Amino acid sequence: MKEITLSNGMRIPTLGYGVFGIPDPKQCERAVVNAVETGYRLIDTAPGYENEEAVGKAVRNCGLSREEIIVTTKLEASQMGSYDKAMRAFDNSLKTMGLDYMDIYLFHWPMGDVYGAWRALEQIYKEGRVKAIGVCNFWPYRLADFLLDQQILPVINQIEVHPFYQRKTDITWIKDRNIQVQAWSPFAEGKNDIFNNPILKTIGLKYEKSVAQVVLRWLLQQGICVLSKTISSERMVENQQVFDFELNEDDMKNIGKL
């Protein structure tokens, strides 16, 4: 698994495993353990996914030391009413997951008191209870305003990116601020019949790769980190087999047309 270095010096895998849409505790715990066994080292959850407890249990029981797994969770919009409310939410996530510290803590949405809540994230970062802090779903105009008055800048902006929603201008703007883009929903949640798209299938046949692998490779070649979700162990393995080929310029241009 390849890694990148965030602006604060923390190294994270370019591919992570997301658990959105797996609320069943046993299924989620089993899926996370399988993900770790197949090679994933970054697990992404949120209180709104209703599976923090299952993720925490899986991380504690996966057979690896805590330091070998990077865990991300988030501060929900409903928890961003104030500095104190954000601090309580962070403590509650740690308690729910049964962890002593968090690796990455993100705003889930740019809503509510983002300034007071960010002061809380800055504080827990200074205390060493989290290794990196960032945001999700911040459009450049919202991020530009947010960045004006912060002691510690976000190191990640987790946003929706896929072949039908490429956001090239947004991504360039975010990267120019030394903020790492991390893509969620890389397969567009299966919409637009993405797995049968003729352009993606043709490219996949050339490299003997699946459409999913082509999409992941396309994102990685843009310097974007990616979160993918599947409960299939076989697809977990498949989704990681994207470092042994490279799309050429024509491939990138053809995907760009989507």
Side-chain angles (χ1 to χ4, degrees):
M1 183 69 72
K2 291 192 176 181
E3 296 183 337
I4 55 95
T5 302
L6 302 176
S7 61
N8 70 342
M10 180 181 179
R11 291 185 63 79
I12 67 169
T14 53
L15 278 177
Y17 181 69
V19 296
F20 173 74
I22 318 178
D24 179 80
K26 291 184 179 179
Q27 185 183 52
C28 182
E29 182 182 352
R30 184 168 59 251
V32 172
V33 170
N34 288 345
V36 171
E37 289 177 346
T38 59
Y40 285 97
R41 294 295 181 267
L42 187 152
I43 311 297
D44 180 275
T45 185
Y49 302 168
E50 300 181 350
N51 53 26
E52 279 188 318
E53 183 176 359
V55 169
K57 187 178 291 186
V59 168
R60 297 194 310 272
N61 299 318
C62 68
L64 298 183
S65 66
R66 171 68 182 89
E67 292 74 22
E68 295 179 81
I69 309 295
I70 293 174
V71 181
T72 299
T73 194
K74 307 177 185 77
L75 182 71
E76 300 292 348
S78 62
Q79 300 169 324
M80 294 175 63
S82 66
Y83 171 94
D84 291 338
K85 196 170 183 180
M87 291 292 275
R88 288 195 298 270
F90 177 79
D91 289 338
N92 187 62
S93 283
L94 281 184
K95 182 179 179 181
T96 299
M97 300 181 78
L99 303 178
D100 295 326
Y101 67 92
M102 195 62 58
D103 296 282
I104 302 173
Y105 198 52
L106 309 174
F107 283 177
H108 208 159
W109 297 96
M111 301 168 65
D113 180 14
V114 294
Y115 301 102
W118 190 254
R119 297 291 176 262
L121 268 63
E122 288 178 329
Q123 183 60 36
I124 61 176
Y125 178 75
K126 291 175 183 176
E127 293 172 353
R129 296 199 293 150
V130 66
K131 295 182 180 180
I133 53 177
V135 298
C136 302
N137 304 306
F138 270 60
W139 289 81
Y141 78 89
R142 192 70 178 90
L143 195 55
D145 175 68
F146 180 73
L147 294 176
L148 289 176
D149 185 31
Q150 310 302 340
Q151 297 176 20
I152 300 171
L153 300 181
V155 297
I156 288 173
N157 188 12
Q158 191 183 108
I159 60 175
E160 180 182 8
V161 189
H162 51 72
F164 307 121
Y165 189 39
Q166 300 194 11
R167 307 185 68 173
K168 295 176 183 178
T169 302
D170 292 349
I171 290 167
T172 298
W173 192 95
I174 294 166
K175 290 170 70 175
D176 284 346
R177 271 71 186 174
N178 208 19
I179 298 171
Q180 178 63 46
V181 175
Q182 189 176 51
W184 60 266
S185 191
F187 308 133
E189 298 181 338
K191 295 175 182 175
N192 295 339
D193 201 20
I194 188 171
F195 296 111
N196 290 305
N197 181 273
I199 290 176
L200 298 174
K201 287 185 74 174
T202 298
I203 293 172
L205 286 172
K206 181 168 61 172
Y207 298 100
E208 297 184 341
K209 294 292 183 177
S210 68
V211 166
Q213 289 170 319
V214 169
V215 171
L216 293 174
R217 185 68 216 171
W218 169 74
L219 287 162
L220 292 168
Q221 282 186 213
Q222 297 177 71
I224 299 170
C225 291
V226 194
L227 299 171
S228 63
K229 184 210 81 175
T230 177
I231 58 174
S232 163
S233 296
E234 291 77 14
R235 287 178 180 165
M236 289 178 188
V237 172
E238 176 187 306
N239 288 347
Q240 294 177 72
Q241 295 173 337
V242 292
F243 299 105
D244 58 351
F245 77 109
E246 187 170 324
L247 302 175
N248 64 32
E249 187 176 346
D250 287 340
D251 298 329
M252 297 295 284
K253 286 182 179 178
N254 286 329
I255 297 174
K257 296 174 183 177
L258 297 175

